[in-house]
Amino acid sequence: MYIGTAILIIGFAALVAAFCLLCVGLVYSEAMNSEIPPGIVHRRKLHALHCVFVGTAVLGQILERLGLCSQVGFTRWLFGLAAPRKQPPPPGLHIKDLTFSGVPVRVYQPTASPSQLKRGLLYFHGGGWIFGSIESYDAVCQHIATETDTTVVSVGYRLAPEHRFPAPLDDCEAATCHFLSVARRDFGVDPRRVAMGGDSAGGNLVAALSQRLTKRRDGRLVPPCALVLIYPVLQMADFNLPSYLQNHAVPMLFRARMAFYYLQYLSGDMSICTDVLEGKHVPPELRLRYRKWLDPANLPPEFRRVPQRGVQRQADVAYDSELYHMVKESLHPDVSPLLSEDDVLCLTPPTFILTCEYDVLRDEGVLFQKRLKDLGVDVTWYHVPDGFHGIFCFFNKGALSFPGGQRAMEETVNYIKTL
């Protein structure tokens, strides 16, 4: 009996060891595919962070294939465990969890000068529409509220793939309209000084919602006074802009991963990822129409360099009409706000746009600010020369902080103070 038990234990240990070796091998293989440019400060730190994220994704994928759980669900669960425990609010800040028109929100209210009407900021978190939460952005919102003396409303919109487009955008709209209608009465906030802000996918929701509100202005609500866009996602028509090619394997956002997030948001069909990256979903007539907005010639000269290796810009590719009909929402301004017409974009409120040098989304942010400026919109653009996607959230992480993240937060805070 003892021999049989020993054999079972040894066999189980061998399986566990083989599983661990498989995970380590996959993580090592994926991590080695990354490229961390010399211009990034603390490169080893970024590489270590990348390995953690890759390891989480690989383990989640294995568990999904075993039928134990979904990769997305496992990643959310693990990051939830790693999130810092909720701390008592700092002095001078009152925090409460509420619901605005059925959407969960967390309100951060500075307690200084209660007799004066304050400015407000609705914040939509990033995470590719499938990750992120009010909890994970608690430190960001606390810092902004405290440093700018602003009432911040963090919006917990529904996430894909369980709730696909337009559910997240609809939630942001519902929460925004509710807050604007009660800002003065319930929170002592001047509705004429309420801005919308967000990073990455949250920036996409900000830009798309601003245009949606512009199109249906009815005079009942004061529109947001400004937009704060932190490396926003702005278009799904061209994954071959110079920044996509130059930074295709730079953490924390790979070129292929951006297409993955988009497809999770829209259809959930990952089998078309490669074709979407090549641009086969864009009809020739639309490709010609978008060229005036997406032409790399519109970028500053220093952003147009061609990468020496890796992904190269695709020549014109064959159009796939079936693919277009599968993801045609991807070219709608509610998903790709950079592709809106001039008569809508010219009504955009004053806008702050932050971009990072080593980010696949860099160029669409640059092109968006150029379009807005050309249309007479007041734009403030800040570029982080040593920044990468996600750096904004690493402004106060102790040993995990990056200088570029601190500067990004400081510039954002300074802009909000001007509103």
Side-chain angles (χ1 to χ4, degrees):
M1 183 176 69
Y2 294 111
I3 294 176
T5 302
I7 291 173
L8 285 175
I9 293 173
I10 293 171
F12 180 75
L15 285 173
V16 171
F19 181 77
C20 291
L21 285 173
L22 174 63
C23 291
V24 169
L26 290 172
V27 171
Y28 178 81
S29 174
E30 289 292 326
M32 289 304 101
N33 288 330
S34 65
E35 298 177 4
I36 301 182
I40 291 180
V41 180
H42 303 319
R43 296 173 66 209
R44 290 183 180 178
K45 190 187 299 185
L46 179 57
H47 194 267
L49 283 169
H50 177 57
C51 287
V52 171
F53 281 98
V54 167
T56 301
V58 167
L59 184 55
Q61 191 172 33
I62 292 173
L63 294 176
E64 183 174 73
R65 293 190 176 184
L66 292 174
L68 299 177
C69 64
S70 71
Q71 182 187 23
V72 170
F74 173 75
T75 303
R76 288 178 189 162
W77 173 78
L78 196 60
F79 286 169
L81 290 180
R85 293 182 179 179
K86 190 174 180 180
Q87 301 292 328
L93 191 65
H94 181 59
I95 302 174
K96 53 187 173 183
D97 293 323
L98 300 170
T99 301
F100 286 175
S101 298
V103 180
V105 299
R106 180 169 293 173
V107 182
Y108 303 80
Q109 286 184 278
T111 56
S113 306
S115 61
Q116 297 179 358
L117 289 177
K118 295 188 180 299
R119 71 173 68 86
L121 174 70
L122 289 134
Y123 196 87
F124 309 150
H125 65 76
W129 302 284
I130 63 177
F131 300 122
S133 65
I134 288 175
E135 293 293 344
S136 62
Y137 275 74
D138 188 64
V140 169
C141 293
Q142 281 198 36
H143 184 83
I144 293 175
T146 302
E147 293 297 314
T148 65
D149 193 30
T150 298
T151 295
V152 176
V153 179
S154 181
V155 180
Y157 57 86
R158 288 172 291 174
L159 299 176
E162 298 90 343
H163 306 282
R164 296 199 170 97
F165 171 81
L169 183 59
D170 290 343
D171 284 356
C172 291
E173 180 180 16
T176 298
C177 291
H178 180 99
F179 182 66
L180 288 171
S181 67
V182 301
R184 182 187 297 268
R185 184 192 68 202
D186 294 351
F187 299 99
V189 169
D190 185 348
R192 297 167 300 178
R193 297 176 66 201
V194 175
M196 297 191 301
D199 61 300
S200 193
N204 171 276
L205 294 169
V206 169
L209 179 54
S210 173
Q211 295 177 16
R212 182 186 277 192
L213 295 176
T214 295
K215 293 175 186 175
R216 62 162 226 190
R217 282 184 182 174
D218 51 17
R220 290 183 297 176
L221 289 177
V222 178
C225 70
L227 309 183
V228 178
L229 307 178
I230 312 298
Y231 36 73
V233 182
L234 294 169
Q235 60 86 31
M236 195 179 164
D238 191 350
F239 292 94
N240 290 289
L241 292 170
S243 62
Y244 266 110
L245 306 184
Q246 296 161 11
N247 303 313
H248 70 100
V250 176
M252 305 291 283
L253 182 62
F254 284 12
R255 174 175 177 262
R257 194 67 178 173
M258 191 61 248
F260 168 84
Y261 287 137
Y262 260 125
L263 292 175
Q264 289 285 358
Y265 185 39
L266 295 176
S267 70
D269 187 350
M270 295 299 108
S271 67
I272 61 177
C273 190
T274 300
D275 290 339
V276 167
L277 284 171
E278 292 178 359
K280 294 181 179 179
H281 62 298
V282 184
E285 64 274 14
L286 290 182
R287 196 172 298 156
L288 183 63
R289 179 174 156 196
Y290 298 153
R291 188 170 297 170
K292 61 182 177 181
W293 301 328
L294 297 174
D295 190 342
N298 293 329
L299 295 167
E302 63 271 22
F303 290 168
R304 301 180 209 156
R305 66 184 186 280
V306 178
Q308 298 299 311
R309 60 193 179 90
V311 179
Q312 300 294 318
R313 185 165 182 86
Q314 298 281 330
D316 286 343
V317 294
Y319 163 59
D320 186 331
S321 61
E322 183 179 352
L323 179 65
Y324 166 71
H325 287 288
M326 291 174 67
V327 293
K328 62 182 179 181
E329 291 172 324
S330 66
L331 305 178
H332 190 281
D334 277 359
V335 177
S336 295
L338 177 55
L339 306 182
S340 281
E341 294 296 334
D342 289 351
D343 61 341
V344 175
L345 274 186
C346 71
L347 299 176
T348 303
T351 301
F352 173 83
I353 299 178
L354 184 141
T355 57
C356 291
E357 178 66 26
Y358 304 109
D359 181 6
V360 294
L361 302 178
R362 180 197 70 202
D363 290 351
E364 51 201 73
V366 176
L367 292 170
F368 193 59
Q369 66 89 26
K370 182 183 186 305
R371 281 200 69 194
L372 292 177
K373 279 186 176 179
D374 290 347
L375 292 168
V377 176
D378 181 11
V379 180
T380 300
W381 173 37
Y382 181 72
H383 185 66
V384 186
D386 59 341
F388 55 86
H389 193 83
I391 199 171
F392 181 72
C393 293
F394 290 97
F395 74 99
N396 69 338
K397 299 296 185 182
L400 297 179
S401 296
F402 291 83
Q406 187 63 42
R407 294 196 307 275
M409 177 58 78
E410 288 173 357
E411 292 295 327
T412 304
V413 163
N414 290 338
Y415 180 79
I416 293 172
K417 287 179 179 179
T418 67
L419 302 178

